[in-house]
Amino acid sequence: MTRTGRVDEALELYRYLLPLFHFDANPRLVQAIKYVMDLVGQPAGPSRPPRLPLPEEDRLAVQEAYKYAVNRPIRIVQE
């Protein structure tokens, strides 16, 4: 988007995805990814040891970030 000059659209999309991006720097990234896969209907199963299950607090945070990202208003841009 930015390469084609659609910076405002890219920034809007980035703002909705940013809460999910924060999990990329979290030691529980694998568990978060697997949980999002469950949310989208593509279960990947539990994480294997030595990883522990995603704590409930983190599950709620991932779920909220996911909902925020997928429930953003869709704007159709004519080019």
Side-chain angles (χ1 to χ4, degrees):
M1 288 179 158
T2 57
R3 290 182 183 173
T4 60
R6 296 164 52 197
V7 176
D8 289 339
E9 288 176 76
L11 187 56
E12 181 182 346
L13 180 60
Y14 175 78
R15 286 184 179 136
Y16 278 95
L17 295 175
L18 184 60
L20 282 172
F21 293 160
H22 287 294
F23 292 98
D24 187 38
N26 188 308
R28 295 184 184 102
L29 172 64
V30 171
Q31 294 95 316
I33 290 171
K34 286 178 170 272
Y35 181 52
V36 171
M37 290 178 71
D38 284 344
L39 292 173
V40 300
Q42 297 293 321
S47 298
R48 292 179 290 174
R51 298 198 181 274
L52 299 174
L54 197 60
E56 187 63 24
E57 181 179 330
D58 289 345
R59 285 176 60 87
L60 292 174
V62 169
Q63 185 177 38
E64 287 302 312
Y66 169 77
K67 284 181 181 178
Y68 182 73
V70 299
N71 291 319
R72 71 184 184 84
I74 297 175
R75 202 168 51 119
I76 299 174
V77 177
Q78 300 294 324
E79 295 198 29

